[in-house]
Amino acid sequence: MKFIPRSLTKRIDFSDTRRASVIYGARQVGKTTLVEHLIGNRSYVWFTGDRMSHIERLSDESACELLLTKEVLFIDEAQRVPSMGLVLKRLVDKKSKTKIIVTGSSSLELSGKLTDSAAGRFEHVTLWPFSLAEFAQDVGVSATLDSFESR
């Protein structure tokens, strides 16, 4: 499947490892696909809140150092990880060179977990469904307008 560039791509700064990038968005808007594209050829560790073994590993305080061994730590479906705010606080406070990117489809639930001592530790970004401008940038204005009704 072809990747369509998203307008918020430029907001994810891989050189800023002092803060975790938290990408909120409704289900199926492309959060995971966007992060996979952004990671590109960088080395990464991937966890998901869909797997109990991943949740247990993320919650293990002694495993923090091991999670930060690659260029990117990607945590998908983070709203399903209990105490996600505390987990991220610990990871960010390690001041490693690893970029931490977190996605969650339930912004209210996830943001509630991230309020615990979060000052300055997170960059919050919302990914909306595709805009007409994003489609037009990809396929051109004429083709976007021609397919407007079907979109």
Side-chain angles (χ1 to χ4, degrees):
M1 180 172 226
K2 179 182 172 196
F3 178 79
I4 298 174
R6 305 301 304 264
S7 58
L8 69 75
T9 301
K10 298 174 190 97
R11 290 193 51 199
I12 308 300
D13 181 3
F14 280 88
S15 65
D16 182 5
T17 58
R18 298 168 297 137
R19 299 185 305 160
S21 294
V22 182
I23 303 172
Y24 301 105
R27 295 180 71 240
Q28 301 297 310
V29 296
K31 296 177 300 295
T32 303
T33 302
L34 173 66
V35 173
E36 288 171 344
H37 176 77
L38 289 172
I39 289 172
N41 293 327
R42 293 174 177 92
S43 63
Y44 67 95
V45 178
W46 175 75
F47 287 92
T48 177
D50 288 335
R51 290 193 181 154
M52 186 53 73
S53 62
H54 288 196
I55 292 172
E56 290 168 358
R57 198 151 169 217
L58 286 167
S59 301
D60 181 357
E61 191 171 347
S62 63
C64 267
E65 299 286 334
L66 298 174
L67 302 177
L68 301 171
T69 58
K70 304 286 185 179
E71 291 177 81
V72 179
L73 169 60
F74 174 31
I75 304 171
D76 200 14
E77 299 294 347
Q79 76 276 2
R80 296 189 178 130
V81 179
S83 304
M84 189 70 237
L86 183 58
V87 170
L88 281 178
K89 177 184 178 298
R90 270 190 309 219
L91 291 169
V92 171
D93 286 351
K94 291 287 183 187
K95 298 184 183 359
S96 79
K97 300 241 185 277
T98 299
K99 177 62 180 179
I100 301 168
I101 301 177
V102 177
T103 63
S105 58
S106 178
S107 61
L108 287 175
E109 189 177 342
L110 180 55
S111 63
K113 291 180 179 182
L114 298 182
T115 57
D116 181 24
S117 304
R121 289 183 176 92
F122 311 123
E123 171 195 21
H124 301 273
V125 180
T126 301
L127 182 64
W128 298 99
F130 283 106
S131 69
L132 286 178
E134 289 169 331
F135 278 122
Q137 187 175 14
D138 184 55
V139 299
V141 173
S142 181
T144 300
L145 292 174
D146 289 345
S147 63
F148 181 75
E149 286 186 32
S150 66
R151 295 193 189 278

